[in-house]
Amino acid sequence: MEVSNMTTVTVFVLLGLSNNPQVQALLFVLFLAIYLLTLLGNLLMVLVISTDSHLHTPMYFFLRHLSFLDAFYSSIIVPKLLENLLSKEKTISFLECFTQISLVIFSGATEACLLSVMAYDRFQAVCHPLLYVVVMNRRVCAGLVGSSWAIGIGTGLINTLLLAQQHFCGPNVIHSFACELPPVLLLTCSNPCSSIASILTTMSVLGLGTLVLLLGSYSCIITTALRINSATGRNKIFSTCSSHFLMVTIFYTSGVLRYMIPASGSALEQVLSVQYSVITPLLNPLIYSLKNQEVKVALRRMLAR
């Protein structure tokens, strides 16, 4: 299914997770269930936050955007994965592949920004409670969310346009179940230095930049919490922030490792890709709904109505 070195690639072949038909059928059922639960959980979170006035606060405003983004990101990857698990010809067109790459980078960059914005929000709420309402007003919150989406769009477009300048003449086999930048870069016939420099710059500036903001915010939050004499007050702070910190840990651990490990088509890469693109969007609403009392109460109110 590979093309000649003298031609230009018009389609790519996704090797997927397994060639065994029985394993593919099992994986199809598993990933379909995960995808439906992901959509249900995230869209339910968006609905609950939108309809319950008690959750119309900056923290839940940011969480609503994060939940929508997770549902969107899962829809970029999983439907094509499910299609290929049932199809004999596991192909994806050049345009479709590059669109998927662009949307994956956009979603990852936007989520990194939203997570850092949510950490900044918790920093203001815990460390400067008297000024919180003034600092985190509606205009500021809208600006932070808008900036996060804009940075994500710009990052996705820049990296994809630079990749599109490369020449692909074969082979055309991608050792993954989705079009991602690292394995696709291995297939270029031209010098990929510009694309490599672009993704490394993205990882350094955006990845490390947001991580520094996250670590700085949580260092201040922990320091402030430890100074509080009341055990109830400390527990409330740690309870509120633990959900977000767990989401950050899962996102950065799987995402950074996926893009920092050299692409080789190894089993570890496949596991990280599944964790990053399939499992993480499912975990976020579960973590917030199970660990957050306000969300559970709002969900009960909505179901009661």
Side-chain angles (χ1 to χ4, degrees):
M1 296 183 73
E2 295 184 4
V3 296
S4 168
N5 287 338
M6 301 302 294
T7 61
T8 299
V9 170
T10 57
V11 295
F12 292 103
V13 179
L14 299 169
L15 286 187
L17 297 171
S18 174
N19 292 323
N20 188 316
Q22 293 180 333
V23 175
Q24 287 180 346
L26 181 63
L27 290 174
F28 177 84
V29 174
L30 175 63
F31 286 130
L32 177 61
I34 291 175
Y35 179 54
L36 294 176
L37 287 174
T38 300
L39 290 182
L40 176 64
N42 283 290
L43 295 179
L44 185 60
M45 189 71 72
V46 172
L47 181 62
V48 169
I49 295 172
S50 300
T51 57
D52 196 299
S53 59
H54 296 86
L55 300 183
H56 290 175
T57 63
M59 183 177 80
Y60 293 107
F61 174 73
F62 298 134
L63 179 59
R64 182 176 62 179
H65 282 266
L66 184 66
S67 297
F68 175 79
L69 182 65
D70 281 334
F72 174 77
Y73 180 52
S74 183
S75 299
I76 298 169
I77 300 292
V78 181
K80 187 63 180 180
L81 169 61
L82 294 174
E83 178 188 332
N84 285 341
L85 285 172
L86 296 179
S87 174
K88 291 183 178 180
E89 295 185 358
K90 306 178 188 304
T91 58
I92 183 171
S93 69
F94 187 89
L95 179 60
E96 189 178 1
C97 181
F98 274 66
T99 301
Q100 192 175 69
I101 290 173
S102 179
L103 293 176
V104 165
I105 296 173
F106 152 70
S107 300
T110 304
E111 181 148 349
C113 291
L114 283 175
L115 288 173
S116 63
V117 165
M118 292 173 73
Y120 175 72
D121 170 69
R122 291 300 84 205
F123 161 73
Q124 291 291 347
V126 173
C127 300
H128 305 102
L130 298 179
L131 297 175
Y132 178 68
V133 177
V134 177
V135 174
M136 299 301 293
N137 58 61
R138 183 174 296 182
R139 185 174 180 180
V140 170
C141 291
L144 290 171
V145 166
S147 299
S148 299
W149 287 95
I151 290 172
I153 292 171
T155 304
L157 285 176
I158 290 171
N159 282 281
T160 308
L161 289 174
L162 287 173
L163 182 63
Q165 303 302 313
Q166 307 298 324
H167 181 54
F168 295 87
C169 58
N172 65 335
V173 177
I174 299 174
H175 294 269
S176 181
F177 59 87
C179 278
E180 295 178 295
L181 191 55
V184 172
L185 268 178
L186 293 177
L187 305 180
T188 180
C189 300
S190 52
N191 190 342
C193 285
S194 60
S195 290
I196 293 173
S198 176
I199 196 63
L200 288 177
T201 302
T202 299
M203 294 295 295
S204 301
V205 176
L206 189 59
L208 291 179
T210 54
L211 185 59
V212 167
L213 181 57
L214 283 162
L215 294 177
S217 297
Y218 275 102
S219 297
C220 294
I221 289 171
I222 293 171
T223 302
T224 302
L226 293 176
R227 290 175 184 166
I228 297 176
N229 295 325
S230 169
T232 305
R234 284 198 304 270
N235 291 336
K236 184 177 180 180
I237 292 173
F238 287 129
S239 176
T240 304
C241 297
S242 61
S243 301
H244 181 250
F245 187 75
L246 184 57
M247 289 165 55
V248 168
T249 303
I250 294 171
F251 174 79
Y252 274 89
T253 301
S254 56
V256 171
L257 286 176
R258 176 66 188 92
Y259 279 85
M260 294 304 290
I261 293 177
S264 61
S266 64
L268 176 60
E269 285 183 56
Q270 299 282 45
V271 170
L272 289 173
S273 291
V274 170
Q275 166 66 44
Y276 182 69
S277 58
V278 180
I279 305 300
T280 300
L282 170 66
L283 292 179
N284 286 349
L286 290 177
I287 290 170
Y288 259 96
S289 61
L290 293 176
K291 292 181 67 65
N292 193 298
Q293 192 64 30
E294 290 179 317
V295 172
K296 287 191 282 188
V297 171
L299 183 58
R300 290 194 199 102
R301 279 197 294 263
M302 189 185 76
L303 293 176
R305 289 199 300 268

